[in-house]
Amino acid sequence: QVQVVESGGRSVQAGGSLRLSCAASGRTFSSNFMGWFRQAPGKEREFVGAIMWSGGDTYYADFVKGRFTVSGDGAKNSVYLQLNSLKLEDTAVYYCAADSGGTYRYKPISVTGSYTYWGQGTQVTVSS
């Protein structure tokens, strides 16, 4: 059974920084890419950023604008999200997700449907 576990969420003041971590495990687990999404109260889940293991390319939502950085270690099935210059509107539950692995076929990396495995989420609260 595959498990995806996020950690690192907490309350922080506006302008501050956080580092979220995510680790996936399971005897059969493999992935081509892992990503981060977030969901604020009353809003739909939205793409934040992702990393493709082959080549290490990273992808970001437009609203990130250089404030967030995705990194990871494919060999350890781990991905990280560095959040800098946090704003009130960054308050949300942040989710880590991974695709189903196997032979890579193109999937849009910013779409929730491209991901098979999801964590339970970690709360990030930004206050003034």
Side-chain angles (χ1 to χ4, degrees):
Q1 187 172 352
V2 175
Q3 282 191 317
V4 178
V5 180
E6 307 97 333
S7 63
R10 61 177 175 87
S11 295
V12 63
Q13 287 194 322
S17 298
L18 275 180
R19 186 177 192 240
L20 306 182
S21 299
C22 171
S25 62
R27 191 167 59 87
T28 61
F29 178 77
S30 69
S31 67
N32 296 298
F33 53 85
M34 293 182 70
W36 291 93
F37 290 74
R38 71 182 188 183
Q39 188 166 18
K43 295 188 177 181
E44 293 189 353
R45 193 169 298 189
E46 64 177 351
F47 174 71
V48 176
I51 183 167
M52 185 76 71
W53 296 130
S54 177
D57 290 339
T58 53
Y59 304 84
Y60 297 97
D62 289 343
F63 69 79
V64 169
K65 293 182 180 177
R67 297 187 299 125
F68 299 171
T69 302
V70 176
S71 61
D73 185 337
K76 296 181 179 180
N77 297 321
S78 296
V79 64
Y80 311 99
L81 180 64
Q82 178 68 40
L83 309 167
N84 295 329
S85 301
L86 282 162
K87 305 176 181 179
L88 298 180
E89 53 264 42
D90 293 321
T91 294
V93 177
Y94 284 71
Y95 295 91
C96 175
D99 80 316
S100 57
T103 301
Y104 177 70
R105 292 183 176 84
Y106 172 76
K107 298 176 186 177
I109 207 167
S110 64
V111 173
T112 57
S114 296
Y115 295 80
T116 301
Y117 305 109
W118 291 83
Q120 293 300 306
T122 186
Q123 176 71 48
V124 173
T125 302
V126 183
S127 60
S128 59

